[in-house]
Structures are given as C-alpha cells and as structure tokens.
Amino acid sequence: RRRIMTTRADACARLLDDAARTTTDDDAVDALARVAAIASASDGANDAAEASELTAIVERVIEFGRATRATTRKSAASACETLGKAREGWLGACARALGEMTRDEDAGTAKRASAGVGALFREALIVSAVKGNATRVVKTVKDAWSAAREAIEGASAVAVDESANEGTRMACAKTTETAILALAGEGWGSNVVKPGHKTLNLEEMMADAVALSEKLQEALRNLSEGAKPTGPLALVLVAALGKLSVKKAELAAGCTPVLIAYAKAHAVREKAEIEANERASAATASVSKELKNVLLDVLRNGPTQAVEGGMMNEISTICRDLGAGEAVDSALRHRERTSRGEPLGEKRASFLTPIGGGFKRARLREQVPPPPPPQIVAAPMTEPGILHQILVTLAALVNSADRSMLDAFITQLAPPALADAILANLNHLPPASQYYLAGRGANAPRPPPPPPISTMVTVPEPPEEPAEPLSVVIKVDDLDAEVAEAFRLEAIQRMLAVGSSVAEYGGAEKVTLAGPLRSSLLARLAASGAAKSAGASLEEETMAIASALLFTAEGGGVYETEGVNMLMKWLTTLYAQEVAFEFSYVPYDQAISAAIECLTRGVAGATSTTAMASGAKKPLSQLLCDVPSLPGVVWRAIRVMCRLEEGDETAQYPTTEETVVLVLGVLQDIILERPPARDEALEVCLACAMQDDDAVRGKAIRLIANRLHPVKHLTERIEAYAKDGLERGRELGKKALVEAKALVEAEAKVKEEQDVAKAAAEEDAPEDDAMETGTEAKTLETEVEEEQVDHIAKAADSAVGPMLLYCALCARNLKLLTGLFEAYATLESEIQLALHRPVNGLARACGPNCLELCEIIASPPEGSLSLAVQCLNTLASVAVVPAPSTLLNAAESLCASHDGDVKYLAPLVCSFDEERVRDLLPQFIHASSEIFASVLDTILSVPEEEAVLSPVAILIAVHEVQVGQAGVTLKQLVDACSVCFDRPDVFTPQVLATALQQMVEFTPLPLLFMRTVIQAETIAPQLKEFTLGLLRTLINRQVWKMDQKIWEGFLRCLKRAAPQSFPLMVELPAPVFGDVLQKFPALKDNLRQFAAKSSVPKAIAAVLNEP
C-alpha cells in the first residue's frame, strides 16, 4: 500500500512539474485536473509520511493559484475545491486559498473561486457539526471552520467592493447568500447542533448570518446610489435579499426595508427614464419585473417581520404601481388565510360551495349584490307601573341594612329596566330626556315621570363613617349644572372602565353581567340631554361624549375595546329617539359627525398602515356600514376628507394621505355592503377619480379599476362614467388651451413692451449709470424667466386628468381600447401629446401579446396613428426577443398600409433575422438619419452575443449599401456613417480597426472607405500606424486603378500621414508617383531629402530630380 501511495504522490508531482514547465494553457489545465482527481481518489492512508506527501502536493496546487496565466489560476481554483472536499485535513488550506483568489484580477478565476468558497463553506459547516462535538475535537476540524469563515468574509467583501468586476460581484453575492442560509440552518440538517456544541453555536451563527446579510444590503444601497443602479448585479442582489426575507424572520427585519427603499428609488428612476425617452430600457424593465416577483413573494410567504411597521402597505403600493394589482390581492388573501391557520384547499372549496363563515366571500366572488343590513331593534322603555315598583323596592332596600339583598335584586333586573330606573332618579337631567321610547310611535303619549326615590323614603342622617356609594347617587339632585355635566361624562368613562380589571369589580361573574348592563346604561346616558358646562357649545358636548365612548380614560389615541360598538349603540339610540319623538337633545347629525371626526383623527394618528393594508375591516367602515342612517353630514365629511370640498370651522376633518386611503376603503365597503347608500358612495369614488389632485385621483382610480370595476352590477355604470370623462376632458382641454394661449400671447406682449422700455432706458441713461442699469435688467430678466410657466403643458395635463380612469379601465376591459383611440383622434394636438404617457403605461400593462391592442396598431382609427406608433414603441421595448408574432404582424401590417414605410418596423428590428435586417438597412438609411439612429440603438441595446448584428458587422453593412439602392443618396450614406461615429463607446478604435481591416480586402472597395479611414484616424489618433498598413495594402492592390473617389481619398491619406507615408509613396510606380507630385508639389522638397537619406528606386529618383 505504501508503494501505491508513493506512486500516486510521485505521479502528482510529475504532473505538477509538467504544468510548471509547459507553455500552453491546455496542458497546464489538464495536468491540474488530473492531479486533483488522483489526489482526491486516495482513500486516506494512516501513515504520516503518506499523508505528508499528499499534503505537499496540495500545497503545490495552491501555489498555482498565483500563476501568471489566468487559465492556470482558474484551473487551480477548481482543483482546490475538489481537494478540499476530498479530505478534511486539506479543507482549511483550500478554503483560505479560494478566499484569496476571489480578488483575482481575472473575472473568470474570481468567479470560479467564489463558487468554490460556497461549496467548501458548506462542507466545513457539516464537518464541524458532525465531528466538532467529539470528546476531543481534532485541530483540522477547528481550522477548517475558521478558514471557511475567513473565506466567506472575503467573498462578501468583494460583493460590496464597487471597484471589483461586476461578474465577480454577482458570483460573490450568490455565494454570500448561500452561506447566510447555511448559517441560519437552512438545507443541511442543523438539528444535529445542540446547545453546548463544542465548535458551533447557533446564536453566533445567526449573528454571523445577520452581519453577512447587512453586507448585501449595503451593496444594494450603494448600487442604488451609484452611476449604474440597474443591471445583472441588481437582479442578483434583489433576488438574494428577497429570498432571505422569506426564509428567515431574523433576516427579514433588515432585508425588507432595503428592498423597499431600492424599489421606491427604482420607480422614480423608471418614471424619469420613461418621461425622457418615452420608454424604459431593457435593464430597467428587467429589474422592475424581478422586484415585482420578489416583493410579491415577500408579501405572500414572508414572515411577520417582513411586513410589519407599515411595510405591508408599502410593498402593496409598489407592486400595484408595477402592474400586479390582482397578484397583490391574491397574496393578501393567502396571507390572511394562512395567518388564521385555515387549510388552503378547504378554504378554496368554500369559495365554490358557500357554507358557514365562507358565505360572504362566496357572495363577493359571485358578484351578487349584498343583502340590506338587518333592521335595528331598540329595547322598549319599561312600563311606568313596573318602573314604579322597581323604584319603591330599591328605596326600601336602600333603607335596609342588608346590602346582599340589594345586590341580588339589582343583578336580577334586566339591563334596560335598571337603566330606566337609574335615569329616572337623575333629577339634574331635563325631564323630557328621562323618558323616551325607541320602539313606540312619534305620537304616542309620554307617561308622567315617577317620583324620585328621595320623596319615597326618609333619607337618614349621614353617619360618622363614610357613606355608601348609593347614597351619593341619591343626593345627585343637589348638583349644579356644571358639576352635573362633569358627573355625566365621568360616569361614562367609569362605566367604560368596567371590565378592564376583574379583581376591582367583583370577579368574572360580575364582569360578564356588566357587559349588556353597561351597554344599555351608556347608550341611554350618552343619548340623554344635560345641562351644558359653562361656555360649552353643543358641538363641544357631543365631541366630548363621542371621545369618552371611543377612547380609554387615559387617552393617547388608543381605542377602547368596545369603543366602536359603544358609538354604534349611542347613534342607534339617538336615531330611535328622533324617530319616536321627532326630537333629541343630542342631534343625530351632530353625533355622527363627531363620531367620524373622532375615528378619522384616531385612525390617522394612531393606527399603523399595516392594519390598513391587511384587509381587516376598519372601525370607520364598521360604523358607517351598520349605523341606521347616513345623513348629508356624512357625505360632506367624506367629500372633505377626499379633498373634493373645503372644510369649515364646525368640523375639523383630516385630509392627509393616510386619511384619503382610509376613506376610499370605507367607500368601497359601503358600496359592497350597504346597497341603499351604494349610488352615493360610488358617485363620490368616481368624483375622486376625476379631480385635479393627483394623489387622490391615482388612489381612486386604482380602487375603482382593481376592486369595483370587476363587480358585475357596477361595471356598466363605471364604464359609462369613464366614457363621459373622455368628453369632459376634451371640452375642458379645449377651454383651457384657449385660456393658456391667451396667457402666452399676453406674456409675450408684456415681454415685448419690457424689451422696448429697456432699450429706451438704455439709450436715455447716462454713461455712468450704464453698468448699474445693465445689472438691474439682467436681474429682472432672471426673475421673469424663473416665474415663467408652461401654460400649454399645464392646460393639457388638466385635460388628461379626467381621461385617466378610462385608460385604467382599458386594461381591465380590452374592448374599451377602440373608444380610447377614437377619442384621441378628436383631441387637440397638445392634449394628444400629454395623453401619450398614460397610454404608454396602459400598453405596458396590456403587454405585447394583447391581441386587441395589436389589431388596433395594425389598423388604427383615423387620426390616431401617432398614438398607435407610441403603443408600438412601448410594446417593442417590453417584449422579449424575438417579439410575439401578433406584434410583428401588426407592425408589418402598419408598414404595408403606409406604402412600406419602414419606420414602423424600426422598434422591432431585433426580432428579425440577420438577412432581413441587412435587406432593410438601405431603407432605414433612406428614411432619415433619426430612424437609422433609433435602429442602431435598438440593435445595440441587447447583449452583443444576442444581437442580430455586432458593431463591426453594422459598420461593414452600412459601407456595403450602394448609392441608389432603395433611393439612398451619397449624403444619406455619409450621415449614416456619422451616426455610427457619434457613438464612440460602441464603435471603439478596436471596432473601427477590425471593420476597416475586413473592408480593405473588398472588391470593389466601398465608396466611403477612404473617408471612414480619415475619420477614424481623426477621432482615434492611435490608429495612425494601422492606417499606414491599410495604405500599404491598397498600394499592393493598385489603388490608382480603382474608382476615382477612392484614389483621391487615398492621396489625401498619404498627404495627412506625411512624412511617415514617404516610404509608401516611393513604392508607387514612377508615372503614378509623378501624378502625386503634380497634385502635391509642396511635398517634393521633403521627398528629395528623404530620398537622399534612403534608398529609392532609380525611376522615383529621376522623377524627383526633374525640374
């Protein structure tokens, strides 16, 4: 066996010697691969000498990681990974070597090393988990784990390093992501690591995972703020952070906010890019798609830490802006079901078969109008005779010393009866408010109030000891008005406190009894009129009652558990009182207005946006869906909070962004769950979708398009309203444009008068004041320029606003697209231009596979051609390569219907094969230089390996176009070459040299070849030596026998290159050389000097010596 091992070690040594001596990359790569295979195949000898020999081989392999040739270093990285996996004794050394190689200057080597680091890190983690808890932990195990951690730290540092190669950073980011998940216990059986493990500590590993994830977060933040915020690296980082957010709750708290911040910044960049270029680049579109997928996954499957603190609402908004409204709704429903622990299969079945609690969801899914709310039942007033007996009994029990009998009697009373008894004894309240009957008719006679308890019994003298609580209530008739009001409000708050502390109120039994009891007491007490506090208005009293019912006694904007229910019972009691008696000391309108103000103030100030986005029913929705009536003050409050109307001093409603979101959600609930109020609520929603405030309008449009329009019984009305919006926008735009043009003319006239006055002032001003006058004039001009407003653009934007709802609905109902294009044809040109941007967004939402939109593009309605072209360009920018056949056929049809105008094919040029592009190139050049430039940019926008033509092939193809081909003129050919030269980042000196080297062998030589040679040398002086080589080739090809323009261009090059071109000139035939001297006689003296210093043919010397 020793001989076998020695033979293997010797074989590896010989192979490494050969690899060190070889001069070819392939031999070195093959040798290193064979060494790795031989060494890793050895099955672990026990002899120390044998192990030492193979360890020495491993060290030599590691040294090849610092070789001169990049291919050798890359092969060494692969060998290190193989050897590190083969034996744990080599694992630490190989991991350290690969960690250093991640910073290799060659991108291929660094990427291969990064992949090896990830593999060895996982191997070291498993080895440490299995063997690192033995009685005596081997040193190699500890060394392997330490080296693996160092290597992954190095890889993560490369991922953050902005100066590193982008491909290397991508590979290191992926390796870091793998290591983070491994440290967090994913995918390797981490359950074997128990507390007290000698090598691994799960808490420390999670801390390391968090630290590594922070580096990826830093990389994404730096990328967002850098010069290239989109690209492949952004895709890798976004996917990595999204996966970490979903997999581990400990990582989500840090990763998700970074993703959200990047997504917001990306949305701003994409919007600016679309506004500038009317479409987003391919890289930007790819990042948008990845962000949408990643954020939806976080929203759907992420832990609670990934969506808390308002992040759920932010993620939902971002995804909806990216066109994933339905997916967001589905993700939120999925999250709600899983949070309740419901089996997804059973819940899905309940949608189809409405049983139990799933009936409401089934009804909404089937889009059936919801039933009207149940009739409100108010408790009738206690009969006067029974109430009198109750009061007499209470008076008798009060005089007795048996407190237990009093408690037993009170607990047996029904809550409404006890409430009537208490109210009947409150002498400080107005008599009319002590007796009302919610269920009786308005004309029913009111019974006389019974005498108070104080007249039925003789109140004993107060004892020396503290009085009983009931005795305080009996003396309430001695309170003045102000104290009585304070007592009433405090009574409400004290009753609200019942139930919050079981021990203080007699145990669970009494708390249970207090539930219905205090509800009736609160409703009747709050609904009763009372003497007002000094200086307090009815509005202030009503607000105080509503606040006391809704909020806890401590305040702070925190809802009482039953606060909304208390408000509901209070409002129901008030409404019943007004219906019964046509009178109420607290008007129902005033009360519901105060309730809305309290709820909106509390929600906007205390409720997080997470609760708003979670789909839970909001307190304001609960109130307005269930109260008995929605009077005009409710709709006015809603319109004020939606910024449709201005508020007044009587009620202060918030109008913040959160309030708008809240109120629009309330309107949605009213529309779907309260049919009698549906029309008015829908009218408010539609009005919000047409108003001038961009923030409100956008939110309302998204609500209508995503939530309300899919409801069958609302669709027709919404579409009709949106169609009216097209006409409203057209009329509004026509009027606004007239006013804007008048303003422009007036400003022009004012400016003209100012210029005349300025000129006159300059002529009349003394010379000493000339400088001061000029300075004042410049200051005035600057102020005027700063104050100038684009009235035309502002008028056009105001006209487009009412049309946006229709645009949004087109994405839901593609049959509406024709109406949009027909309406576009009737608009003024300025409004048409402003409508392009929202329609471009619509086109992106529809996608390149939309058959209806492609049919309209193929044959647009009269007057809408420019809009069809805009949609075509947008669809081409978001389509994959090659584009779908529906879009290609639409572009071909549009081209054919306009006399073969190829400008309609330009956006899709990357979807054609090379032969078709070469055939179309002359037509693109003939169309215009702008169209050719757009074609060029489109071809160059895809990676070179996927492009239909490379930059070299494009330059050659342009030169191959003949004058007259497809009507191309010489000037158009020159312009096309100039378009290429205007892109020096693409047509680099290397590209130019490669193209010219190929074209110099063409027969015949391209007409513009010599012009391109001169232009290339002008913009890239480093090509001068290369140009001399081209001239020598042309001399060998007898350029003087070619086209006259080629020959003239050749002579210009010779003259420009003098004196370096003198050796070439003397190689020309003597007659031709003579013609050159006749054309450039100024060169003769310099050529004679050159001939005197060097050997030239006799014929050339004779020509030079001629006078």
Side-chain angles (χ1 to χ4, degrees), residues 177 185 198 327 339 422 448 461 508 515 536 632 741 785 801 808 824 840 880 970 1030 1040:
E177 175 197 348
K198 295 182 179 179
S339 66
I422 292 175
E461 293 294 329
K741 290 177 180 178
E785 288 177 0
Y824 174 87
N840 284 338
V880 296
L970 180 61
L1030 293 178
W1040 55 88

Side-chain angles (χ1 to χ4, degrees), residues 178-464:
T178 305
I180 292 171
L181 292 175
L183 286 169
E186 290 289 328
W188 59 276
S190 59
N191 56 342
V192 301
V193 180
K194 305 297 183 182
H197 196 281
K198 295 182 179 179
T199 304
L200 300 180
N201 184 298
L202 291 178
E203 293 183 358
E204 293 179 358
M205 290 167 59
M206 181 55 71
D208 291 343
V210 172
L212 290 175
S213 69
E214 289 175 352
K215 290 191 175 182
L216 293 184
Q217 297 165 25
E218 180 185 356
L220 186 61
R221 280 194 295 266
N222 295 341
L223 188 68
S224 178
E225 299 169 358
K228 188 181 178 183
T230 57
L233 179 59
L235 297 176
V236 171
L237 291 173
V238 167
L241 293 178
K243 187 174 182 179
L244 297 179
S245 298
V246 173
K247 288 288 186 180
K248 282 295 177 181
E250 295 86 346
L251 304 174
C255 295
T256 309
V258 177
L259 275 175
I260 292 173
Y262 177 81
K264 290 181 177 178
H266 176 77
V268 174
R269 288 191 296 268
E270 184 179 31
K271 182 179 179 181
E273 191 173 332
I274 292 172
E275 290 178 351
N277 305 322
E278 296 187 353
R279 62 178 180 178
S281 63
T284 303
S286 299
V287 173
S288 298
K289 182 178 179 181
E290 183 67 19
L291 278 172
K292 178 175 67 176
N293 295 335
V294 167
L295 292 177
L296 281 174
D297 189 27
V298 173
L299 192 63
R300 183 181 182 87
N301 303 315
T304 304
Q305 290 83 347
V307 293
E308 65 183 1
M311 290 189 289
M312 179 182 289
N313 189 37
E314 292 180 304
I315 294 174
S316 303
T317 302
I318 292 170
C319 291
R320 292 186 193 280
D321 292 341
L322 292 174
E326 293 182 356
V328 170
D329 298 338
S330 175
L332 290 174
R333 289 195 296 270
H334 173 86
R335 189 173 193 88
E336 184 181 356
R337 292 196 299 270
T338 54
S339 66
R340 293 198 299 263
E342 298 175 357
L344 298 182
E346 296 179 9
K347 192 64 181 178
R348 197 177 303 277
S350 71
F351 286 161
L352 304 176
T353 307
I355 56 175
F359 180 80
K360 178 180 178 182
R361 288 187 178 274
R363 185 179 72 246
L364 294 179
R365 177 176 286 269
E366 297 170 3
Q367 299 181 350
V368 177
Q375 185 177 1
I376 298 173
V377 179
M381 189 193 76
T382 307
E383 291 294 334
I386 297 176
L387 182 59
H388 183 77
Q389 295 178 9
I390 293 173
L391 292 173
V392 171
T393 305
L394 282 173
L397 291 174
V398 166
N399 283 328
S400 69
D402 192 352
R403 180 63 180 272
S404 60
M405 289 295 294
L406 178 62
D407 290 343
F409 178 72
I410 292 176
T411 55
Q412 292 176 3
L413 290 176
L418 181 57
D420 286 336
I422 292 175
L423 289 175
N425 197 52
L426 296 180
N427 291 336
H428 69 291
L429 298 178
S433 65
Q434 296 179 7
Y435 297 95
Y436 60 87
L437 185 58
R440 300 179 59 178
N443 298 323
R446 303 179 185 178
I453 295 178
S454 58
T455 63
M456 300 180 187
V457 298
T458 303
V459 180
E461 293 294 329
E464 296 180 359

Side-chain angles (χ1 to χ4, degrees), residues 1017-1065:
E1017 184 182 346
T1018 302
I1019 65 173
Q1022 62 267 37
L1023 295 179
K1024 284 186 177 180
E1025 292 296 328
F1026 173 76
T1027 303
L1028 293 175
L1030 293 178
L1031 297 179
R1032 185 178 299 279
T1033 302
L1034 291 174
I1035 291 175
N1036 294 335
R1037 294 191 60 191
Q1038 299 182 348
V1039 64
W1040 55 88
K1041 295 182 180 180
M1042 297 181 184
D1043 186 89
Q1044 184 64 27
K1045 293 182 179 179
I1046 297 292
W1047 171 240
E1048 291 177 358
F1050 175 82
L1051 294 179
R1052 287 200 187 99
C1053 283
L1054 281 178
K1055 182 181 179 182
R1056 285 170 56 88
Q1060 287 82 3
S1061 62
F1062 287 170
L1064 299 179
M1065 291 185 185

Side-chain angles (χ1 to χ4, degrees), residues 1091-1107:
K1093 296 178 182 179
S1094 57
S1095 177
V1096 298
K1098 293 181 179 181
I1100 298 298
V1103 173
L1104 287 173
N1105 292 328
E1106 291 178 358

Side-chain angles (χ1 to χ4, degrees), residues 492-841:
I492 294 175
Q493 294 178 347
R494 292 170 76 85
M495 280 186 276
L496 284 169
V498 175
S500 59
S501 177
V502 175
E504 294 179 6
Y505 292 95
E509 294 78 9
K510 285 195 175 183
V511 172
T512 303
L513 179 64
L517 173 62
R518 72 170 184 163
S519 297
S520 298
L521 284 173
L522 283 168
R524 293 171 183 258
L525 181 59
S528 299
K532 303 180 181 61
S533 302
S537 64
L538 179 61
E539 292 80 4
E540 292 171 344
E541 294 292 332
T542 308
M543 181 62 67
I545 296 173
S547 299
L549 290 172
L550 182 61
F551 298 107
T552 58
E554 291 79 8
V558 181
Y559 287 149
E560 169 69 17
T561 305
E562 295 294 330
V564 179
N565 293 333
M566 289 292 98
L567 281 179
M568 179 70 62
K569 292 183 178 180
W570 177 47
L571 293 172
T572 303
T573 304
L574 288 176
Y575 184 75
Q577 183 177 353
E578 288 191 357
V579 171
F581 297 108
E582 297 181 353
F583 171 79
S584 174
Y585 278 89
V586 182
Y588 178 77
D589 289 7
Q590 188 70 42
I592 197 170
S593 177
I596 293 174
E597 186 173 350
C598 286
L599 281 171
T600 52
R601 185 179 63 225
V603 168
T607 302
S608 68
T609 52
T610 305
M612 294 184 184
S614 65
K617 195 168 184 179
K618 305 165 188 66
L620 187 58
S621 291
Q622 178 184 348
L623 182 74
L624 297 186
C625 287
D626 295 339
V627 292
S629 174
L630 296 179
V633 293
V634 173
W635 301 111
R636 170 161 173 73
I638 288 176
R639 295 179 72 86
V640 169
M641 288 186 286
C642 289
R643 307 177 190 173
L644 293 173
E645 295 180 3
E646 294 291 336
D648 52 31
E649 298 180 356
T650 58
Q652 300 295 325
Y653 301 110
T655 58
T656 62
E657 296 288 333
E658 285 187 350
T659 306
V660 172
V661 174
L662 168 69
V663 174
L664 288 175
V666 171
L667 289 172
Q668 174 192 345
D669 292 336
I670 293 175
I671 292 170
L672 297 178
E673 300 182 20
R674 189 167 185 141
R678 176 183 301 150
D679 291 343
E680 197 157 2
L682 182 59
E683 188 68 28
V684 175
C685 273
L686 294 173
C688 290
M690 296 288 177
Q691 74 154 313
D692 295 334
D693 192 316
D694 292 341
V696 178
R697 182 176 62 213
K699 293 177 176 63
I701 289 175
R702 285 192 290 273
L703 169 66
I704 294 171
N706 297 333
R707 301 295 181 87
L708 301 182
H709 182 263
V711 181
K712 180 182 287 186
H713 57 275
L714 302 177
T715 302
E716 184 176 353
R717 180 177 175 184
I718 292 174
E719 290 181 355
Y721 191 92
K723 189 173 182 180
D724 292 340
L726 293 177
E727 181 63 24
R728 187 183 302 115
R730 187 179 70 84
E731 296 296 333
L732 179 63
K734 184 183 295 184
K735 180 180 178 181
L737 280 176
V738 172
E739 296 175 355
K741 290 177 180 178
L743 285 174
V744 171
E745 292 177 359
E747 289 179 355
K749 186 176 180 180
V750 170
K751 187 176 183 304
E752 183 180 355
E753 293 175 353
Q754 289 176 348
D755 293 341
V756 172
K758 175 186 170 184
E762 290 177 354
E763 292 178 359
D764 298 339
E767 294 182 0
D768 296 339
D769 299 338
M771 183 66 68
E772 183 178 355
T773 304
T775 304
E776 292 177 355
K778 289 181 180 179
T779 305
L780 181 60
E781 288 178 0
T782 304
E783 293 177 355
V784 171
E785 288 177 0
E786 291 177 353
E787 294 175 358
Q788 282 182 348
V789 179
D790 191 346
H791 299 290
I792 302 296
K794 189 176 180 181
D797 290 340
S798 66
V800 169
M803 304 180 185
L804 296 179
L805 177 60
Y806 192 92
C807 293
L809 297 183
C810 288
R812 296 289 180 180
N813 184 2
L814 298 176
K815 295 179 181 179
L816 300 176
L817 285 169
T818 303
L820 178 61
F821 279 77
E822 291 174 349
Y824 174 87
T826 64
L827 300 176
E828 303 288 337
S829 59
E830 294 86 355
I831 303 177
Q832 288 182 344
L833 188 62
L835 190 60
H836 284 175
R837 184 169 59 84
V839 174
N840 284 338

